[in-house]
Structure formats: C-alpha cells, structure tokens
Amino acid sequence: MSLIPEISVIILNYNGLADTQELLESLFLNSKGNFEVLLVDNGSDTGETTTLSQKFKDITIIRTGENLGFAGGNNRGIIKARGRYILLLNNDTLIIDDSVNKMAAFMEKNPAIGALSPRLLYNDQERTLQYAGYTRLSLITLRNKCLGMGEADRGQYMEPSATAYTHGAAMMVRREVIEKSGVMEEDYFLYYEEMDWCERIKKAGYEIWYYPGSSVIHKESRSTGKESAAKSYYMTRNRLMFAERHRKGIVKIFAIIYLLSVAPAAGVYRSLAKGRRDNARAILFGVRDFLINRYGKWQPL
C-alpha cells in the first residue's frame, strides 16, 4: 500500500511533448520527499502520453480526450490528487532546486495562506524576473501590474509577502482551501480563471502569497508583441465575466459599461491600425459572447 503523498504536482499537457518531458526531468532530478505527479493530457493529437508513460514510470496520466482549457484540465487533476498540497505547474516551466518542498514547508508554517506562487524567472542567462507578485485589479478597468516583470534579478523581491493573485504558471493551493472554495471555474477556459479562484479563496478567509524562497523558471517568451486572436477574444470576454462575478453595485455597473464600450473600441482601433483584422473581430466576438451568455440567445439586428 503506497503512502499518501504530501504534495500532488499537476502538469497540463497539450501537444507539448518536448517541454513536458524537460519539466518532468527537472522535477524528478531536483525534488525530494513524498510527492505524486499527475499528468493531465488535454486532448493532444499525437501519441505523446505513450512516450511519456514509457519514459516516466512514476507518473499518473489522466486523458481528457479533448481540450478542456486551463481550468478544466487542471480540475481533472485536482479531483484525482491525494496530496495535502496541490501544485499546478505549466508544462513550460523548469524546477531548478527543491522548490516544490520549500513551498509546502512555507505553507505548513503559515496556515493562513491558502495559495501561493514562487518567484518566476524567464529562461535567459540573466535570470530576468517574470513574477514577484501582483497588484490588485483596478475596480473599473480590471487592469493590474505584475511586479518585477522584465527586471534584472538583483534580490529586490526576496521578501515573502501577501499579494493579490498567484501566477497560473506555478501555484500551490492547500487541499482544505479547495474543499471550501471549490475548484476553478471552467467557463473562462483561458485567462482570468486563477484570478477568479484567488478571489474565491480570499472570500473563504485565506491569504494569497508570493514566496521567493522558491524559484521556478518559466520558458514563456519575454517579447510583449505576442498577440493572437484567441488571446484577444478570451481577454475581452473573460474580463467582462470577472467583473460580472466580482464587482458589486455602482462599481459593477461602471465596470461593465467600460468593458462593453471604451475598452473594446480602443482594442479594435489598435488592432485595425496594426492591420490585425482578426484581432478586431475577436474582440467584438468576445463582447458578443459575453452578452449571449449573460442575457440569452443572440438576436442579430
């Protein structure tokens, strides 16, 4: 009979064999203690899980059969996880030391913490910072700042601190918190789901922290020009969904009005100015689909 793991590491894979394999190698090389690894294959269209199961005998593979998005895929892993602490890792991250156990140990000493993220570094020789905490979303525009992003790491963010939100690339959540606040909302599909989750975790009485005692490399590009129609669509729609769920009273009214008018109009203008008609359409579709979901069947004029 196997021991109940202290930590459950959940990795979401979607047509990312090379990155996922590199992450698993770094995880098993650097992590100690009693942990399990659940690999959720989110509908990859190749034989990736066969390759991974042959190379890594100690992982549990969960096949969704379709792309359920960030929240849907990770939720399937959370449901199967047995650990007291649940660590969600993007498959394009790398573990460089025993950071997994350090995160759990810090949470163990601080029971008020419901979820945390480690310091995230870009995958460059300079070890440039990507994440050292988040500011809160502004009330009306729902914009915020990622602390440390793009800064050279000079040790300026080495103090653990409460923060507004975790980072979806690497976040650890206490099991009892999930039992109280539930899993992530799956209708976001992509973007804003971890922020929504953090809001519900805070409403359940827990704190969100940034913990620089653990560092994780995130191989995401540092370039800021990576825009896609899918991103434009989900950012537009999901910002509206977030405002609908987490703003109240007159603030909610002004936020919804702004996000239905000023923000999409500006986004469409910028997209057209860059010759990105696909992005402009995606923004309009994001507004449309929010209205469909909120007010019923779309009735074209």
Side-chain angles (χ1 to χ4, degrees), residues 159-176:
E159 206 53 49
S161 60
T163 188
Y165 306 104
T166 57
H167 194 293
M171 57 186 297
M172 180 171 280
V173 184
R174 197 183 298 270
R175 171 175 289 282
E176 67 184 57

Side-chain angles (χ1 to χ4, degrees), residues 33-280:
N34 180 23
F35 67 95
E36 66 174 353
V37 178
L38 296 92
L39 177 75
V40 181
D41 186 76
N42 221 6
S44 297
D45 54 14
T46 67
E48 295 188 355
T49 55
T50 300
T51 301
L52 292 168
S53 63
Q54 290 173 348
K55 185 173 179 62
F56 302 98
K57 303 297 184 183
D58 295 327
I59 66 174
T60 298
I61 294 180
I62 302 167
R63 297 177 178 86
T64 65
E66 60 180 315
N67 186 356
L68 301 178
F70 178 84
N74 276 304
N75 283 348
R76 299 306 179 275
I78 291 170
I79 292 168
K80 296 288 186 181
R82 298 180 295 150
R84 294 178 58 235
Y85 297 98
I86 314 295
L87 174 62
L88 307 184
L89 283 177
N90 271 17
N91 75 317
D92 62 345
T93 57
L94 293 172
I95 304 300
I96 55 178
D97 57 23
D98 196 22
S99 284
V100 173
N101 286 290
K102 289 178 183 178
M103 281 185 265
F106 185 74
M107 292 188 75
E108 188 72 18
K109 293 178 182 177
N110 297 275
I113 298 176
L116 62 74
S117 280
R119 183 176 60 158
L120 291 178
L121 303 166
Y122 285 111
N123 190 31
D124 56 21
Q125 292 183 345
E126 294 79 18
R127 288 293 188 260
T128 308
L129 288 163
Q130 183 188 27
Y131 166 88
Y134 273 123
T135 61
R136 290 193 63 82
L137 291 169
S138 58
L139 290 176
I140 304 299
T141 66
L142 272 72
R143 304 284 183 174
N144 71 334
K145 180 181 178 182
C146 184
L147 301 176
M149 188 174 187
E151 296 181 22
D153 181 18
R154 302 184 302 274
Q156 67 272 43
Y157 294 103
M158 292 307 294
E159 206 53 49
S161 60
T163 188
Y165 306 104
T166 57
H167 194 293
M171 57 186 297
M172 180 171 280
V173 184
R174 197 183 298 270
R175 171 175 289 282
E176 67 184 57
V177 170
I178 298 173
E179 293 170 353
K180 292 181 180 179
S181 63
V183 294
M184 284 183 281
E185 295 285 357
E186 297 185 9
D187 54 356
Y188 284 100
F189 192 80
L190 190 65
Y191 301 119
Y192 274 84
E193 57 274 274
E194 72 269 28
M195 290 182 171
D196 178 281
W197 205 18
C198 285
E199 291 291 349
R200 290 190 287 119
I201 289 171
K202 286 183 282 190
K203 287 175 183 177
Y206 293 91
E207 298 173 358
I208 309 296
W209 275 63
Y210 158 70
Y211 178 58
S214 292
S215 298
V216 171
I217 289 177
H218 189 200
K219 292 187 285 185
E220 183 180 69
S221 171
R222 289 175 58 186
S223 68
T224 57
K226 294 196 312 174
E227 290 294 331
S228 68
K231 181 176 181 179
S232 295
Y233 170 81
Y234 285 114
M235 290 294 285
T236 300
R237 190 198 67 159
N238 293 358
R239 202 174 274 134
L240 280 157
M241 289 168 56
F242 186 96
E244 176 73 21
R245 291 169 177 172
H246 297 289
R247 295 294 182 259
K248 297 184 183 300
I250 192 68
V251 171
K252 178 176 177 178
I253 293 172
F254 279 117
I256 295 293
I257 291 173
Y258 173 84
L259 295 170
L260 284 175
S261 57
V262 178
V268 167
Y269 175 80
R270 286 193 300 268
S271 296
L272 292 176
K274 296 176 182 178
R276 294 295 306 270
R277 296 180 64 185
D278 57 335
N279 276 0

